[in-house]
Amino acid sequence: MKKVLLFSITMLFSAVIYCQDLIITTNGDSIKCDIATVKNEKIFYIVKSNDERRSMSLPLDKVKHFEYKDYKYQYTKQTTREKGKNNDIRDYREPGKTMLSVDGGFSFEIGKISESIPDDLKDYTQQLRSGYNFSVGITSWFDEEVGVGFKYQNFLSRNELHGDLTLKYGKLSDNVKVSLYAPSINLRVNYRNGTSFFNNYYLGYISYKNEAVVQKPCTIKGGTVAAGIDGGYEVELGDHFLLAFQGSLVAGVLKKVNIYDGGGVRTMHLEKGSYESLYRVDFSIGLRFR
């Protein structure tokens, strides 16, 4: 869990925002802040005080003027509009309340290799720890920054023994599938230019399955509780699509497995030092649809 916390702090540090926007109220007060969005006749913004960030809002009829960088905004009763350098005007758009996600990329396990693995099979085992990931998810947003979701992800890896070691151990191969099922709490920081930073925290269940051959075919299955975090950056591609770049950390440990072979099913309880570590780092690229 220390690794999860460290990863979380790193990703959140990358999303630090420096307050540089300005709101002027009808009373003449000036508020230096970061403007998040305008919707439902309100302006939502973030202020920093004593190293803490606070989300706040104001009714638009209390706002005389607001601006950021080279853009200036003026509220009218008909609509809220943005006027840029080139005199192009567009309406604000409210993000969708539901977001679907599809991601895929490369993964590698980072846990310690079991002490029960023979030395001449350590390289084989190390190669088996790298593979590919594919995930789908759905998020329902309460507001612009906080939502809840569900994530399903597969990690796939395979390897087969060749060369002289085959003579020593016989036929040996592994085809591993690790599936994650997890509800999540999702946090975002949105920028007005259509980009955002995000963190997703989840706690769920990992299913482990290995279609293996150890001289003869067998299937090894197990499951355990898992925790993890996603962190990354999104770029708006249009009204409904975003491109996402994501890093993830998943943590879980198998302490027992069931082995299915021609002779039936037997349960193996792993001893401390021989636990199957499922700690993994994922890097992926994905699409979001809202």
Side-chain angles (χ1 to χ4, degrees):
M1 295 307 294
K2 291 182 178 179
K3 294 180 181 179
V4 174
L5 180 60
L6 179 60
F7 188 83
S8 173
I9 293 173
T10 302
M11 296 308 301
L12 287 173
F13 181 77
S14 66
V16 172
I17 299 175
Y18 298 96
C19 295
Q20 53 190 3
D21 302 339
L22 176 66
I23 298 174
I24 299 177
T25 69
T26 53
N27 295 328
D29 296 327
S30 297
I31 303 173
K32 292 183 178 180
C33 61
D34 182 83
I35 296 173
T37 190
V38 177
K39 70 174 185 178
N40 299 331
E41 302 298 310
K42 286 186 178 182
I43 181 170
F44 296 83
Y45 60 95
I46 300 169
V47 295
K48 186 176 181 181
S49 176
N50 298 325
D51 296 326
E52 293 186 0
R53 290 166 44 78
R54 299 177 58 192
S55 297
M56 306 183 73
S57 65
L58 275 175
L60 281 177
D61 58 7
K62 301 295 183 182
V63 177
K64 179 180 179 182
H65 171 84
F66 60 98
E67 63 182 55
Y68 76 93
K69 294 184 180 179
D70 297 318
Y71 292 86
K72 296 185 178 181
Y73 300 76
Q74 185 67 42
Y75 173 70
T76 66
K77 291 184 178 180
Q78 289 74 29
T79 186
T80 303
R81 296 184 180 274
E82 171 187 323
K83 186 174 182 180
K85 292 180 179 179
N86 301 321
N87 295 323
D88 56 319
I89 298 176
R90 67 172 174 83
D91 290 331
Y92 274 99
R93 296 191 302 270
E94 293 186 27
K97 291 295 185 182
T98 301
M99 180 178 290
L100 303 177
S101 62
V102 179
D103 298 276
F106 177 76
S107 304
F108 59 93
E109 296 181 331
I110 58 176
K112 184 179 179 181
I113 295 177
S114 172
E115 297 175 359
S116 63
I117 302 296
D119 290 340
D120 51 3
L121 290 180
K122 291 290 176 67
D123 287 343
Y124 173 90
T125 305
Q126 186 64 40
Q127 294 170 15
L128 193 61
R129 289 152 62 86
S130 299
Y132 300 93
N133 69 77
F134 174 79
S135 66
V136 294
I138 184 170
T139 302
S140 179
W141 296 98
F142 299 127
D143 54 33
E144 297 300 311
E145 297 182 334
V146 181
V148 294
F150 186 86
K151 178 178 182 177
Y152 169 72
Q153 182 189 53
N154 281 331
F155 164 68
L156 305 172
S157 178
R158 62 189 307 166
N159 200 4
E160 186 173 342
L161 192 64
H162 297 283
D164 294 338
L165 290 177
T166 305
L167 299 176
K168 180 177 180 180
Y169 292 100
K171 187 175 182 180
L172 177 64
S173 68
D174 293 270
N175 188 356
V176 177
K177 178 181 178 181
V178 181
S179 300
L180 170 70
Y181 310 82
S184 63
I185 297 176
N186 302 351
L187 307 177
R188 309 178 72 191
V189 177
N190 297 301
Y191 294 83
R192 80 292 299 166
N193 62 358
T195 63
S196 59
F197 283 96
F198 64 89
N199 280 122
N200 307 325
Y201 302 87
Y202 45 88
L203 179 66
Y205 178 79
I206 276 184
S207 171
Y208 175 90
K209 182 179 181 181
N210 183 1
E211 297 286 354
V213 175
V214 185
Q215 296 184 351
K216 62 180 181 178
C218 66
T219 300
I220 304 170
K221 293 183 178 180
T224 186
V225 174
I229 176 175
D230 302 330
Y233 182 69
E234 295 171 335
V235 180
E236 197 173 69
L237 299 179
D239 290 353
H240 300 287
F241 290 94
L242 299 96
L243 178 66
F245 303 89
Q246 178 176 290
S248 307
L249 177 64
V250 181
V253 177
L254 282 180
K255 296 184 178 181
K256 71 173 183 177
V257 294
N258 294 319
I259 302 175
Y260 301 78
D261 53 29
V265 182
R266 57 190 175 93
T267 299
M268 176 182 293
H269 293 270
L270 305 177
E271 297 181 359
K272 187 175 182 180
S274 298
Y275 294 158
E276 182 68 27
S277 172
L278 300 178
Y279 277 69
R280 190 179 76 245
V281 173
D282 304 325
F283 295 100
S284 57
I285 298 176
L287 286 175
R288 309 285 187 264
F289 175 76
R290 62 188 182 191

